[in-house]
Amino acid sequence: MNTSAPTQAAHAPAEGRGRKLTTSAMIASIAEEGQRTTRAPFGHALARLAGERPDVVGLSADLAKYTDMHIFREAHPDRFFQMGMAEQAMLGAAAGLAEVGLTPFASTYSVFATRRAYDFLCLDIAEPQLNVNVVGALPGLTTGYGPSHQATEDLAILRGMPGLTIVDPADSVDIEQAVPALAAHPGPTYMRLLRGAVPTALDEYDYRFELGKAAELRGGRDVLFISTGLMTVRALTAAQELADDHVDAAVLHVPTIKPFDRETVLREAAKGRLVVTLENHSVVGGLAESVASCLAFAQQTARIVPVGLPDEFLAAGALPTLHDRYGLSVAAIKERVRREL
């Protein structure tokens, strides 16, 4: 049995168990204060898609509410499958549904999809190249519940899996556009999920999600931010604020980790700027190493500064404190850039 949803009562003092307590550790918002947000973009996008495509089905490993799959469940109850705390069985069932022509989206926490059910994803889904879309919530440092729930190495685990497409969306706009693109893609996919109140930012940059393509959101002569996932929104904020210090920063958003847009990265990294990679993932095996290997194999050089999570098991606690501690906050990004320049 997994520990996917620790109860509040288990963490409450005895005298407090008569009233409902709340915690900011599990479902804390990643949005900055005053930032525009969209509620449950994945769940609503999947429900809309299912209204257009009768082949789309949804599965959950007892975590529908915590992966926004409950939106789909309420809209299409006859096409929702609750698999219980059995992630391996969920992926096996999703493979069977894909074999008969359906298009499954299977959601759970990233730690369980990658650490616990890897073999099922690899041999039941990726090896036969089935169109199963695995959706992993709480990627990287998006929960304060410690290593059992922090999927800080999911990209590193999955990048070596043959034929698997990996997407790390930045905001609600990215998620809403990625869902139909993943359903239309013929092979298996893994998407890191931002759930709940998700920042909405990319609509201000004339952005369109394109599978396998990076997008330049902002130009700049001094620094090139190459970012993915929630760090792209923070890169944009950091770039805007660094302009006050006369630092001109470009932002290149990389929503698809695999296949990697080598051509765009090589072109932008060749412009002589400091390259700063930003990812909500360990600096081992994720975006930073993808960029570095891309340049190395092309015999191209650039000064690369990786901003990401350290190669260690992280602490538990409140997310804002942890993001400052591990260098993911906007303030920490700006300080790192000033130091490197």
Side-chain angles (χ1 to χ4, degrees):
M1 181 178 294
N2 68 37
T3 56
S4 57
T7 63
Q8 294 168 339
H11 298 278
E15 65 271 17
R17 291 183 181 172
R19 66 182 188 276
K20 185 177 181 181
L21 301 182
T22 59
T23 175
S24 63
M26 175 60 81
I27 309 298
S29 175
I30 60 168
E32 300 290 325
E33 185 176 353
Q35 194 168 55
R36 288 186 303 132
T37 61
T38 299
R39 177 67 61 176
F42 165 68
H44 288 294
L46 187 62
R48 282 195 301 271
L49 180 66
E52 303 167 0
R53 290 185 49 167
D55 58 304
V56 171
V57 296
L59 300 87
S60 174
D62 200 34
L63 289 170
K65 178 181 177 182
Y66 299 100
T67 59
D68 291 344
M69 183 62 81
H70 68 291
I71 304 293
F72 174 87
R73 178 188 65 198
E74 293 164 5
H76 304 281
D78 57 329
R79 286 193 261 164
F80 171 75
F81 300 90
Q82 176 57 269
M83 304 304 297
M85 295 187 199
E87 294 82 12
Q88 297 158 327
M90 179 182 71
L91 293 190
L97 292 168
E99 286 277 14
V100 298
L102 298 173
T103 303
F105 281 76
S107 68
T108 184
Y109 289 159
S110 293
V111 286
F112 304 139
T114 55
R115 297 175 189 165
R116 182 166 300 164
Y118 179 90
D119 200 42
F120 289 75
L121 175 56
C122 184
L123 296 181
D124 287 359
I125 295 171
E127 193 275 333
Q129 279 293 286
L130 297 175
N131 184 7
V132 173
N133 304 283
V134 179
V135 181
L138 303 185
L141 187 53
T142 52
T143 172
Y145 268 152
S148 66
H149 287 69
Q150 294 161 344
T152 58
E153 79 287 35
D154 56 331
L155 300 180
I157 291 171
L158 295 181
R159 277 177 61 218
M161 189 177 292
L164 180 67
T165 293
I166 303 173
V167 171
D168 193 4
D171 74 341
S172 64
V173 176
D174 234 3
I175 293 170
E176 290 166 354
Q177 295 182 15
V179 167
L182 296 178
H185 181 70
T189 72
Y190 171 77
M191 182 175 78
R192 299 180 108 203
L193 176 65
L194 303 175
R195 51 86 55 202
V198 178
T200 300
L202 295 186
D203 56 342
E204 300 178 9
Y205 295 88
D206 193 29
Y207 171 81
R208 294 294 301 175
F209 174 85
E210 187 176 354
L211 199 60
K213 296 295 183 180
E216 184 183 52
L217 303 178
R218 175 189 172 108
R221 66 181 179 277
D222 301 319
V223 178
L224 171 64
F225 287 135
I226 302 180
S227 56
T228 190
L230 67 87
M231 295 304 290
T232 289
V233 176
R234 297 187 177 182
L236 289 168
T237 302
Q240 291 165 4
E241 296 181 5
L242 283 167
D244 295 335
D245 295 336
H246 308 289
V247 175
D248 197 11
V251 177
L252 181 68
H253 174 44
V254 183
T256 310
I257 299 298
K258 186 180 180 184
F260 194 68
D261 189 354
R262 292 169 44 86
E263 180 181 350
T264 300
V265 168
L266 289 172
R267 182 184 70 241
E268 294 303 316
K271 296 180 180 179
R273 297 167 291 187
L274 172 68
V275 175
V276 180
T277 62
L278 300 101
E279 59 191 311
N280 172 37
H281 183 271
S282 169
V283 293
V284 176
L287 177 68
E289 290 193 356
S290 296
V291 170
S293 65
C294 175
L295 268 62
F297 285 124
Q299 300 182 40
Q300 184 172 314
T301 60
R303 182 181 172 204
I304 302 175
V305 174
V307 171
L309 298 170
D311 181 24
E312 61 189 62
F313 293 108
L314 307 184
L319 277 184
T321 301
L322 294 176
H323 283 194
D324 271 333
R325 173 175 176 176
Y326 293 114
L328 299 191
S329 67
V330 171
I333 295 167
K334 293 191 298 180
E335 177 57 31
R336 183 70 183 273
V337 169
R338 292 189 188 105
R339 196 163 63 241
E340 295 295 337
L341 287 176

